Amino acid sequence: MIRKYKIGNPIETDSVIEAIPEILIDQEKAVIPASGEGGTETIIPASGDSNSKAVIPALGDENSGWIVDKHGKKLTFSMSSHACIYGLGEQVRGINKRGWHYVSFCSDDPHHEEGKTSLYGAHNFFVYDSRDCNDNICFGMYVDTPGRVEFDMGYSDPDEISIIFEDFDAYIYLLKSGHPSGTIMDIVRQFRRIIGRSYIAPMWAFGLGQSRWSYMNADEVRGVADSYDKAGIPLDSIYLDIDYMERYKDFTVNDEAFPDFKEFVSEMSGRGIHLVPIIDAGVKIEEGYDVYEEGVKGNHFVKKENGDLFTAAVWPGRVHFPDFLKEDTRRWFGDKYKVLTEAGIDGFWNDMNEPAIFYSEDGLKKVFEKIDGYKGKNLDIDSFFGFQGSVSGLCNSEEDYGSFYHEYKGQRIRHDKVHNLYGYNMTRAAAEAFDKIAPDKQILMFSRASYIGMHRYAGIWTGDNMSWWSHLLLSIQQLPGLNMCGFLYSGSDMGGFGGDVTEDLLIRWLSFAIFTPLLRDHSAMGTRRQELYRFKDTDMFRNLVELRYALIPYLYAEYLWAADNDEMLFKPLAFEYEEDVRAKEVEDELLVGRSIMIAPVYTQNASGRYVYLPEDMKMIRFRGYDDYDEEQMKAGDHYVRAQLGEVLVFIRKGHELPLAMPDMRVRDIDTENIHYIRN
Ligand code: GLC
């Protein structure tokens, strides 16, 4: 059962595609009519301060509910002591989100540390489960609002959830399951049904992708492909980061570095390698550059309040931002991808679309003036930090996000009010165009910024993580939340983007990432080179990537099944073994598809780990797709050995794991001769 409540005047986000009758929350009268499907209205008396508070029942128990606090612009809910909270998509911390506060505001921030509250995505769906506590309820909640909203999950008050709005305008969806078992998944499936089917990536996009910021020219790209081939490590794609462009201008190619690009794309595709270029949100301001000139002429760029174009800076220096929220602009920008699809490109990643802003022209001017005032002064504790902060505060500033406007669905709306829709609509622009400009191709597309709804158009990667063991764990823990929100094609920068990777970290990360749809080794400029063939134990890397290729028939089939049935590819144990209280606390094991569970090693110098089995399973310890040992194991706790290069897979009772014969490219995998490991 789903109930949709309306608070204030919400801005439509196009994230939910199913029509659901609205229940209006009348804030003024301080009561809310809570009508069920039969249409009978019950007036629920406001609790507490009767002028400002009303209650939304938490579905299932009319005594416990959400307090609507109009003046505080928040909804609050009393939690049971052992209740768990799952979801919120791309976020920091563990699978159970209880005990921290999370801010939904797409943020370009490469420091994915525990203390952070926002990453690149805004995914406002979660499930609350207190079925083994006194109040015994389980419900899902989706807060559909495109501006900033904070989810305080027991941070300010350990026993309370508070959802704090900047503007008290939102659609609130409450979802309840009628199933006595499989409750959480029933809620997830209902949610996924109303937001529409997830994007389907082509099968080749399950192959290994190699990326670097940046491969500077065609020869360097050829060299990467040659080295993989020479090492015998399968590879399907090579990513082109910003330096393939001519001075960071979207839809251009630097033809000194990549002479005859079309020919080069076809040469690589002849070898079975897909080139995947990046597209950034900002359009360089430069006379004579067609995208810039058309954008100005066609009124496609966002403007300030006074009607002047908003000027900011990203990689190319000064840019304008297309107003992706405008349908006409989406059509215009989407068509631009044609330059590249016509050259044979069939995969893209959209970046810097929170949008990331290094500085705005206005902001920079103010800082220069301010800094001028510090000249010749004795900078003391306050003035020194003020001086320092004025420069560092230029980047992605709230002031900038509040200083330009969109034309959205016939209305002029300030950016910060619809901030979380920007990357979503950039990606939607591309995906909608693909049907037109490349109708015969299945295009790979993933984005950095996102909102729920974008999952219908593309996948996401989890942005600029670090080569840290803690980020390997984070990437394991992020997957269930992403899947709950419809982002099935996803993965992290394997090996870590920032910082220097070590060989053992890369091996352990790969040992986990061979299960994620997006398997991409990407690293930042200035960091240690991270291509797999550069490390000492080439055999180990080859064995792991071959295992991935052998697993692709299983992974791709389970991925399609998850998309078609509103299911999750990666499930926490708690979603499957609902009666098992231990399963609720397992934060480092995942069910992958219907047949297997994985337990990755994510600590340095470990030769094994503790594994909790919620049922009897058959353990497979892989060293390669054709080199493994098997062991029947009983439900319960085990210490399991897993040396570097060994991958632990647990097959559920009555299930089988199909393994294909791997090859150097996904298209060549022998899917006819499948070998099954059965339990
Ligand atoms: C951003 C992206 C990263 C990319 C870099 C240069 O930081 O997140 O993946 O390599 O920009 O384009």
Side-chain angles (χ1 to χ4, degrees):
M1 181 177 67
I2 303 176
R3 281 184 186 165
K4 177 182 181 182
Y5 295 88
K6 183 176 177 181
I7 302 179
N9 288 308
I11 296 170
E12 302 294 330
T13 63
D14 298 343
S15 57
V16 171
I17 55 167
E18 202 171 286
I20 298 165
E22 283 160 19
I23 303 168
L24 194 70
I25 297 185
D26 186 342
Q27 298 172 9
E28 294 311 323
K29 286 194 199 140
V31 287
I32 52 148
S35 56
E37 266 132 57
T40 50
E41 266 193 352
T42 331
I43 304 296
I44 296 171
S47 68
D49 170 3
S50 61
N51 290 325
S52 61
K53 289 181 178 176
V55 175
I56 305 176
L59 287 174
D61 181 355
E62 306 256 309
N63 296 320
S64 84
W66 290 89
I67 309 288
V68 183
D69 178 349
K70 185 191 168 193
H71 299 299
K73 293 187 184 171
K74 61 179 182 179
L75 301 173
T76 51
F77 178 81
S78 283
M79 284 195 275
S80 292
S81 52
H82 296 106
C84 296
I85 304 168
Y86 306 103
L88 295 185
E90 185 184 22
Q91 262 298 357
V92 292
R93 299 203 171 214
I95 293 175
N96 182 353
K97 291 287 179 241
R98 186 171 181 151
W100 187 241
H101 60 134
Y102 306 88
V103 176
S104 180
F105 196 77
C106 297
S107 302
D108 162 37
D109 185 343
H111 307 286
H112 308 176
E113 288 140 16
E114 260 184 64
K116 287 296 156 93
T117 53
S118 307
L119 295 176
Y120 310 87
H123 307 142
N124 307 347
F125 171 63
F126 65 89
V127 170
Y128 171 90
D129 185 13
S130 70
R131 279 169 301 159
D132 57 344
C133 312
N134 291 343
D135 62 354
N136 184 27
I137 50 173
C138 184
F139 62 85
M141 187 176 204
Y142 175 45
V143 178
D144 189 14
T145 181
R148 183 189 298 268
V149 53
E150 180 177 348
F151 293 86
D152 183 329
M153 303 302 205
Y155 164 72
S156 302
D157 176 338
D159 301 314
E160 199 169 84
I161 299 180
S162 288
I163 301 176
I164 306 147
F165 294 79
E166 207 164 72
D167 297 303
F168 212 24
D169 300 305
Y171 291 112
I172 308 286
Y173 296 80
L174 284 169
L175 300 95
K176 193 192 166 192
S177 167
H179 284 227
S181 64
T183 307
I184 299 180
M185 274 318 297
D186 187 49
I187 290 169
V188 171
R189 274 192 299 269
Q190 289 186 61
F191 178 62
R192 294 271 303 284
R193 192 193 72 226
I194 65 166
I195 60 171
R197 183 179 187 251
S198 297
Y199 158 79
I200 302 289
M203 192 159 163
W204 64 259
F206 274 57
L208 174 67
Q210 181 58 55
S211 188
R212 175 79 180 174
W213 174 17
S214 296
Y215 297 123
M216 300 303 286
N217 53 51
D219 276 341
E220 205 180 340
V221 174
R222 280 188 192 100
V224 172
D226 292 346
S227 304
Y228 268 97
D229 284 353
K230 193 160 157 240
I233 303 175
L235 182 77
D236 267 79
S237 53
I238 299 181
Y239 285 73
L240 302 179
D241 208 323
I242 47 175
D243 295 281
Y244 80 89
M245 298 182 220
E246 191 203 316
R247 278 167 299 136
Y248 315 120
K249 287 186 288 182
D250 279 340
F251 311 113
T252 66
V253 174
N254 175 345
D255 45 42
E256 260 172 51
F258 293 89
D260 202 344
F261 187 64
K262 194 170 178 178
E263 182 54 41
F264 178 56
V265 177
S266 128
E267 172 197 323
M268 294 308 286
S269 115
R271 296 177 66 172
I273 299 288
H274 300 256
L275 296 178
V276 186
I278 195 168
I279 301 291
D280 284 336
V283 170
K284 184 175 200 292
I285 299 175
E286 186 180 279
E287 295 303 322
Y289 168 38
D290 57 346
V291 184
Y292 161 71
E293 290 188 342
E294 280 174 34
V296 173
K297 221 186 274 163
N299 195 22
H300 291 305
F301 296 130
V302 294
K303 298 199 178 98
K304 298 193 287 192
E305 194 169 11
N306 65 7
D308 290 351
L309 291 175
F310 174 72
T311 303
V314 201
W315 308 119
R318 291 161 34 154
V319 298
H320 290 318
F321 289 115
D323 189 355
F324 297 119
L325 274 68
K326 204 161 83 177
E327 213 176 313
D328 184 36
T329 300
R330 279 204 298 278
R331 216 171 301 123
W332 165 73
F333 194 84
D335 282 347
K336 295 283 149 218
Y337 286 77
K338 196 169 168 188
V339 179
L340 294 160
T341 52
E342 277 186 345
I345 293 294
D346 55 4
F348 297 93
W349 42 315
N350 278 349
D351 191 24
M352 306 299 270
N353 49 3
E354 294 70 32
I357 297 179
F358 292 175
Y359 60 84
S360 70
E361 199 172 45
D362 294 344
L364 191 66
K365 205 165 138 223
K366 275 193 218 152
V367 167
F368 276 134
E369 280 161 13
K370 202 165 161 197
I371 284 180
D372 234 28
Y374 289 111
K375 262 190 197 156
K377 288 222 169 106
N378 170 16
L379 297 186
D380 62 8
I381 177 165
D382 298 323
S383 48
F384 174 70
F385 288 124
F387 166 78
Q388 205 181 31
S390 57
V391 177
S392 61
L394 270 173
C395 213
N396 303 321
S397 85
E398 290 198 16
E399 204 177 327
D400 284 337
Y401 288 137
S403 72
F404 61 92
Y405 290 77
H406 295 277
E407 281 174 45
Y408 185 48
K409 296 185 189 282
Q411 267 184 302
R412 188 159 176 262
I413 305 183
R414 208 174 72 195
H415 174 79
D416 55 338
K417 306 291 174 199
V418 285
H419 175 77
N420 291 336
L421 301 182
Y422 193 74
Y424 164 12
N425 280 286
M426 174 188 181
T427 302
R428 178 180 178 179
E432 285 175 345
F434 295 153
D435 295 339
K436 224 177 355 161
I437 62 178
D440 309 327
K441 277 192 186 160
Q442 210 183 342
I443 308 262
L444 166 64
M445 165 57 82
F446 58 92
S447 167
R448 197 171 72 174
S450 60
Y451 186 79
I452 292 174
M454 201 199 82
H455 71 287
R456 297 192 296 273
Y457 301 102
I460 57 174
W461 94 101
T462 56
D464 300 347
N465 57 6
M466 296 289 291
S467 297
W468 293 346
W469 292 86
S470 58
H471 280 185
L472 164 54
L473 175 60
L474 178 65
S475 73
I476 298 166
Q477 292 172 327
Q478 281 176 326
L479 284 165
L482 290 174
N483 277 203
M484 286 170 73
C485 298
F487 294 98
L488 296 182
Y489 188 81
S490 54
S492 58
D493 283 346
M494 192 257 298
F497 173 75
D500 294 326
V501 78
T502 56
E503 182 160 350
D504 56 348
L505 175 59
L506 193 57
I507 289 169
R508 289 299 195 192
W509 205 314
L510 178 62
S511 303
F512 159 66
I514 56 172
F515 297 96
T516 63
L518 172 64
L519 169 62
R520 182 177 77 145
D521 177 348
H522 181 46
S523 56
M525 66 158 63
T527 62
R528 181 181 187 178
R529 303 300 299 215
Q530 206 165 284
E531 294 81 10
L532 305 185
Y533 54 78
R534 292 183 190 271
F535 294 85
K536 197 168 170 191
D537 203 335
T538 315
D539 292 346
M540 200 175 271
F541 284 106
R542 185 188 317 107
N543 291 343
L544 288 168
V545 181
E546 279 179 355
L547 175 58
R548 157 63 165 219
Y549 278 56
L551 285 166
I552 284 179
Y554 172 74
L555 293 173
Y556 199 70
E558 291 300 303
Y559 164 71
L560 292 181
W561 169 80
D564 286 341
N565 296 285
D566 301 323
E567 280 283 346
M568 293 166 63
L569 182 60
F570 294 95
K571 262 190 280 187
L573 304 194
F575 285 29
E576 189 73 21
Y577 305 92
E578 292 194 315
E579 305 289 302
D580 182 341
V581 285
R582 272 295 309 285
K584 287 168 66 162
E585 292 182 16
V586 178
E587 288 269 349
D588 57 0
E589 299 172 22
L590 294 173
L591 293 158
V592 185
R594 285 165 290 183
S595 302
I596 61 170
M597 185 188 93
I598 56 168
V601 175
Y602 53 88
T603 43
Q604 190 160 27
N605 301 318
S607 57
R609 54 161 289 171
Y610 284 96
V611 179
Y612 175 70
L613 296 188
E615 59 173 321
D616 294 356
M617 291 186 183
K618 182 189 257 187
M619 183 195 72
I620 312 297
R621 187 187 288 110
F622 282 107
R623 282 167 293 277
Y625 74 96
D626 57 355
D627 177 14
Y628 53 86
D629 38 66
E630 318 181 355
E631 194 182 323
Q632 283 293 350
M633 294 180 92
K634 290 268 167 233
D637 290 291
H638 301 265
Y639 182 81
V640 183
R641 202 176 39 73
Q643 304 283 359
L644 213 53
E646 291 184 329
V647 178
L648 302 176
V649 173
F650 300 84
I651 305 180
R652 298 179 65 186
K653 257 224 174 96
H655 289 258
E656 56 191 18
L657 178 65
L659 289 169
M661 190 65 176
D663 212 311
M664 289 300 284
R665 309 282 180 253
V666 169
R667 65 177 187 199
D668 299 325
I669 295 173
D670 178 1
T671 50
E672 296 297 303
N673 297 304
I674 300 276
H675 166 68
Y676 292 91
I677 312 180
R678 299 199 160 89
N679 184 17

